[in-house]
Amino acid sequence: DESTAAESAAEATPAGADARHADAPAGAEPIARLLRARHREDLPDRDALLAHPEPEASLRWLVEHGDPLVLRVRAASALRFFDGAETLALLRAVFTDAALPGNLRAAAIEGTARFPLDAPHRAELDALAADTDPRVARAARARLANASQPAASAPGPSAP
């Protein structure tokens, strides 16, 4: 029966690794497994992420395509360990998009911890400090307050 075969194949395929995600970087699935940790203290640090191919690109991909939402949130927050221009562009696009869930937007703000606050970034965060979603507003205020702290002291990824 074709439907039974398709169901069996779907069950055998790890989440995030089906044909819809053929464009995922090589490290996306192993990093997604790390981000699915049950406890916050078990989430990966920079070294654990670097043990996988293309960790920064994989995290960016997971922010855009990860499922469930908690995976996207944790990936956005974990981007705080990286500082590529594409990463900052993605994080800014996420945290300024009011149509996205507040917890994802707040995690994207946390993800900017390695980046200096230039005038446009500071202006965006100043505006978000008054966002109607308290998670976004709190994250923006915290990022502005901690702008001078080194990224190594950044907190762990947000809980869902």
Side-chain angles (χ1 to χ4, degrees):
D1 177 279
E2 286 182 34
S3 63
T4 305
E7 289 170 9
S8 296
E11 290 172 10
T13 304
D18 63 19
R20 293 176 300 149
H21 304 301
D23 64 333
E29 184 54 32
I31 289 174
R33 282 193 299 270
L34 294 174
L35 295 175
R36 288 186 187 102
R38 182 176 292 245
H39 305 287
R40 285 184 69 183
E41 60 270 11
D42 295 330
L43 290 170
D45 60 11
R46 180 177 170 80
D47 291 338
L49 293 168
L50 289 172
H52 298 283
E54 305 177 86
E56 190 171 3
S58 296
L59 288 168
R60 283 195 312 264
W61 190 90
L62 289 167
V63 168
E64 293 184 288
H65 305 285
D67 187 40
L69 177 61
V70 67
L71 186 59
R72 295 177 69 198
V73 169
R74 288 179 171 180
S77 183
L79 280 169
R80 75 188 180 287
F81 296 124
F82 301 95
D83 59 6
E86 289 179 49
T87 294
L88 181 58
L90 172 64
L91 293 171
R92 281 179 140 162
V94 170
F95 71 64
T96 58
D97 186 345
L100 292 174
N103 57 342
L104 178 58
R105 295 174 63 218
I109 292 169
E110 291 173 13
T112 67
R114 273 187 124 54
F115 296 95
L117 283 182
D118 58 13
H121 190 178
R122 185 175 292 279
E124 290 166 343
L125 292 173
D126 282 335
L128 292 172
D131 197 89
T132 56
D133 188 309
R135 297 167 295 186
V136 173
R138 190 170 36 254
R141 288 191 301 269
R143 176 69 175 98
L144 288 165
N146 297 322
S148 62
Q149 289 185 352
S153 65
S158 294

